[in-house]
Amino acid sequence: MELTFLGTSAGVPTRSRNVTAILFKPGDQGSGRWLFDCGEGTQHQLLRTASHPGNIEKIFISHLHGDHIFGLPGLLCSRSMAGSVAPLTLYGPEGLREYVETCLRLSGSWTDYPLEIQEIKAGQIFDDGDLRVSAASLVHPVECYGWRIEQHDRPGTLDARGLAAAGVSPGPLFQKLKKGERVRLEDGRVIDGREWLGPPQRGKTVAIFGDTAPGPAALTLANGADLIVHEATLEHAMAEKANSRGHSTSRQAAALARDAHAARLIITHISSRYSPEGAAALLAESRALFPETELAEDFYSVSL
């Protein structure tokens, strides 16, 4: 799995940061991508990556504030104008359908590909057999969600050397044995794949938060995650202001990562009031509580 930050500013863009969007590569198979939020200018940011709108299969909108959705109509239309016919699914809060359909109708625009809009509530959103995605309600002035992406555990490593020594030739049979299936050899022997697999490989978990003040769902969403992406709009001295507007501070994001026993934290959604030096100070505040904290910058990528 891989995340690339296309925008990391809160509210408005700055000279060095665009507003919120995260490009997500679900796994090693295929070129499909997911997008988490789509602030104004997101399609311009995409032009500076190896991806394009036609790669995007799913878009998750945390909430309907402009710095998270104003780039969506343009991206949807550009995807159509580029000739993409691949289906696209949008997930987000109530009102997302009205917003998209109204923008397309009033601008005389349309899509030439199947577009599905799912207005969701907290709970499991889908499970495709490889990844399970759940949504949790966050603390914000409007309906807002965070996302927990859980990769299913994968079979352990197949003992190819041992199988070769036992007279099993590499090829299609190895694929079946890797799945834990039983196969019959030409000499009549039956080989049980489960007996030739190492311990299962634990799937990775990523928690991506929308805008939020500290709240009761946060620990469940972040619990044991390999990576948490969390807003850190303001410094901790401004906690009262941040929380009153449905936002978190750098220290509050770090405290959550610590209490959730997460492996890594990336802070983003940095207020435009902060210069690069100010953003570095936010990072220092977070690291004082949770050393495994990183500061997102536009086009920063991280792999799991």
Side-chain angles (χ1 to χ4, degrees):
M1 293 190 288
E2 182 179 274
L3 289 84
T4 300
F5 290 82
L6 300 180
T8 57
S9 180
V12 297
T14 71
R15 291 182 182 272
S16 60
R17 295 177 181 272
N18 200 48
V19 284
T20 300
I22 301 173
L23 191 65
F24 179 75
K25 180 183 178 183
D28 297 330
Q29 301 301 317
S31 60
R33 299 291 186 270
W34 300 355
L35 187 66
F36 288 85
D37 285 328
C38 190
E40 179 184 358
T42 293
Q43 63 175 316
H44 292 272
Q45 301 291 85
L46 274 175
L47 292 173
R48 297 176 60 184
T49 74
S51 295
H52 57 82
N55 290 142
I56 299 173
E57 301 172 335
K58 301 178 186 297
I59 301 178
F60 299 82
I61 300 297
S62 63
H63 65 296
L64 300 185
H65 278 159
D67 58 326
H68 294 255
I69 64 163
F70 281 171
L72 184 58
L75 186 144
L76 295 179
C77 294
S78 293
R79 192 178 188 272
S80 188
M81 294 176 69
S84 177
V85 295
L88 175 65
T89 304
L90 310 184
Y91 304 89
E94 183 178 355
L96 178 60
R97 179 185 303 279
E98 180 182 1
Y99 171 73
V100 170
E101 292 179 348
T102 300
C103 287
L104 294 179
R105 176 174 54 83
L106 292 179
S107 63
S109 304
W110 63 88
T111 61
D112 289 326
Y113 51 83
L115 177 63
E116 181 181 1
I117 302 174
Q118 294 190 19
E119 296 186 337
I120 59 98
K121 294 297 182 184
Q124 182 171 302
I125 305 304
F126 68 84
D127 186 337
D128 63 9
D130 184 30
L131 296 173
R132 176 172 54 250
V133 177
S134 302
S137 296
L138 302 179
V139 181
H140 203 55
V142 299
E143 185 180 1
C144 186
Y145 293 98
W147 316 94
R148 182 177 174 91
I149 308 155
E150 299 173 282
Q151 185 182 54
H152 288 276
D153 291 346
R154 301 192 173 188
T157 303
L158 188 67
D159 184 5
R161 182 176 298 178
L163 285 167
V168 183
S169 301
L173 290 182
F174 271 36
Q175 297 299 317
K176 293 183 178 181
L177 293 171
K178 177 71 173 177
K179 296 177 182 178
E181 298 178 8
R182 293 163 60 92
V183 301
R184 184 178 296 275
L185 306 182
E186 291 183 358
D187 61 12
R189 286 183 296 157
V190 175
I191 304 292
D192 189 339
R194 293 172 297 179
E195 298 176 359
W196 296 87
L197 291 174
Q201 300 176 34
R202 187 182 72 84
K204 302 291 187 180
T205 297
V206 178
I208 300 177
F209 281 74
D211 292 3
T212 187
L219 271 178
T220 300
L221 189 67
N223 184 46
D226 296 279
L227 175 65
I228 298 173
V229 177
H230 199 287
E231 68 133 287
T233 304
L234 295 170
E235 62 197 273
H236 196 63
M238 302 181 71
E240 183 176 354
K241 180 176 181 178
N243 296 168
S244 69
R245 298 182 179 183
H247 292 294
S248 296
T249 69
S250 49
R251 284 178 60 87
Q252 288 170 337
L256 171 64
R258 178 197 62 196
D259 296 345
H261 304 289
R264 298 167 69 184
L265 167 68
I266 299 179
I267 55 172
T268 185
H269 200 266
I270 307 301
S271 171
S272 61
R273 73 174 56 226
Y274 296 109
S275 65
E277 293 75 21
L282 295 183
L283 176 61
E285 282 194 341
S286 289
R287 284 182 170 171
L289 280 185
F290 190 76
E292 298 302 319
T293 304
E294 302 159 50
L295 172 66
E297 304 280 355
D298 286 19
F299 306 109
Y300 173 65
S301 291
V302 58
S303 297
L304 287 87

